[in-house]
Amino acid sequence: MSTPHIAANPGDIAQTVLLPGDPLRAKVVAETFLENPVCFNTIRNMFGYTGTYNGKKVSVMGTGMGMASIGIYTHELIHFYDVRNLIRIGSCGAITPEVKIGDIIMAQGASTDSNYAYQYELQGSFAAIASFDLLRRAVLSAEAHGFPFDVGNVFSTDIFYKEKPLWKDWAQMGCLGVEMETFALYCNAARASYASGNGGVGHEVKALGIFTVSDSLVTGEATSAEERQNNFINMMEVALDVAAQL
Ligand code: HPA
């Protein structure tokens, strides 16, 4: 079986998928953290792997950058491969001074400048939220490890290179960080969970975005490659702790 973007058979992909933006990151995660990883997708070099972690079947697949891209991959994972838990493992930029480089941010909600939710024809704006179950597990894991983290809203933007510093307005609404995917991920999970027509899958689909803060739009700082790697490992431990419980 193959969808337009994923060439895997049913059963090749676990019910829990970790989702970095970068497909090469997916390869490294699979080879570093999973036992017996098997590659299930190479279409467009959007690598996906399935292996086990503490005996639990877990997959990891790249999403590409932006809501258009993560929207495609997560739709296919949910609707064609029966994926039920989607955990984005990404990076974000800090937009408030309280958020420090290297911190972990967990997206309780995702706000956006995207029109991704127009497709649902809602007469208003949708509050895209994380699965409380996944979020709670991630918080407990980070606390147990003693990793610094923040929980709150993130700003999912369509535009990396903006002419005006529009992130400041989102910071004034309490958004902690800026990234480019989570709003679409949360929309896809909500729609699949709750739509009564063919948009729904008839059961709950859980989603969570976890990020390491890679740069600060407030201070202009960015992480070194080495810092990024260490901080990334903390986030991975949290994501894998959660995946192993599902
Ligand atoms: N902007 C958008 N997405 C990001 C950033 C940023 O500064 N940093 C990491 N992901």
Side-chain angles (χ1 to χ4, degrees), residues 129-213:
I129 58 171
S131 152
F132 181 70
D133 179 47
L134 298 190
L135 178 59
R136 187 179 59 86
R137 292 176 195 275
V139 165
L140 291 173
S141 166
E143 282 177 348
H145 287 291
F147 298 150
F149 68 97
D150 300 284
V151 177
N153 217 330
V154 297
F155 170 41
S156 299
T157 183
D158 273 341
I159 306 158
F160 187 89
Y161 292 108
K162 290 186 186 59
E163 293 195 358
K164 295 178 185 165
L166 298 176
W167 56 269
K168 289 185 177 170
D169 295 332
W170 295 92
Q172 299 277 318
M173 293 300 285
C175 291
L176 302 169
V178 56
E179 54 86 62
M180 302 187 72
E181 292 82 15
T182 301
F183 182 83
L185 170 64
Y186 287 1
C187 284
N188 279 3
R191 193 66 170 180
S193 299
Y194 302 112
S196 53
N198 60 10
V201 292
H203 56 76
E204 189 183 3
V205 175
K206 298 178 181 178
L208 175 65
I210 314 178
F211 317 91
T212 51
V213 178

Side-chain angles (χ1 to χ4, degrees), residues 14 41 59 61 88 100 120 130 161 171 183 200 215-217 234:
N41 191 58
S59 295
M61 182 178 180
R88 168 160 153 68
K100 306 294 179 213
Y120 310 123
Y161 292 108
F183 182 83
D215 54 290
S216 172
L217 281 73
N234 292 354

